[in-house]
């Protein structure tokens, strides 16, 4: 579900936060889906529990998830991108793959377009 790239310019907590956000916004993680406990995910990813806890806190602050002692960390409802935006992203991915582009190339183009 979540993978870390040690060579990525973002730290592990940011990579976790960004990937969980993307999974939620794409609908891969449904409303009320339970995220792995902090210690379990930390062990799976081989990072400190504090790293995962930081990512989860940032996700909670952004309203993506909620945390409860008995219920763990769960996805908040209403976080999936609206259908037209999600379809456009999926079209971009399909076109980029057909063109033989790498993820990094697509990200670079999106970043330039975003800042234009």
């Amino acid at each position: 579900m979540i993978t870390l790239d040690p060579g990525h310019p973002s730290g592990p907590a940011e990579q976790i936060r960004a990937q969980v956000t993307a999974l939620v916004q794409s609908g891969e993680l449904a409303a009320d889906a339970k995220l792995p406990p902090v210690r379990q995910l930390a062990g799976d990813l081989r990072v400190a529990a504090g790293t995962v806890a930081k990512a989860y806190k940032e996700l909670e602050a952004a309203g993506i998830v909620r945390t409860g002692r008995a219920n763990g960390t769960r996805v908040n409802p209403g976080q999936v991108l609206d259908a037209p935006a999600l379809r456009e992203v999926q079209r971009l991915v399909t076109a980029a793959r057909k063109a033989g582009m790498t993820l990094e190339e697509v990200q670079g183009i999106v970043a330039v377009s975003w800042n234009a």
Side-chain angles (χ1 to χ4, degrees):
M1 174 169 97
I2 297 171
T3 58
L4 298 179
D5 176 1
H8 195 278
S10 297
E14 174 55 23
Q15 290 180 57
I16 294 166
R17 187 210 56 76
Q19 289 179 47
V20 171
T21 299
L23 289 165
V24 170
Q25 290 179 336
S26 70
E28 291 291 318
L29 279 175
D32 294 318
K34 188 173 181 179
L35 273 60
V38 168
R39 288 183 185 178
Q40 178 187 332
L41 186 56
D44 292 347
L45 297 175
R46 296 186 175 160
V47 296
T51 300
V52 175
K54 178 181 178 186
Y56 279 15
K57 276 186 186 173
E58 291 173 2
L59 289 162
E60 189 170 21
I64 304 290
V65 301
R66 66 188 180 281
T67 301
R69 288 201 182 262
N71 293 326
T73 302
R74 294 190 178 267
V75 174
N76 277 331
Q79 300 302 311
V80 176
L81 289 177
D82 67 338
L86 186 55
R87 278 194 301 272
E88 289 301 320
V89 170
Q90 291 167 337
R91 273 192 274 253
L92 170 64
V93 169
T94 300
R97 284 183 174 152
K98 284 182 182 176
M101 296 176 73
T102 66
L103 175 58
E104 292 77 20
E105 290 169 333
V106 174
Q107 289 171 329
I109 291 169
V110 168
V112 168
S113 298
W114 190 273
N115 294 320

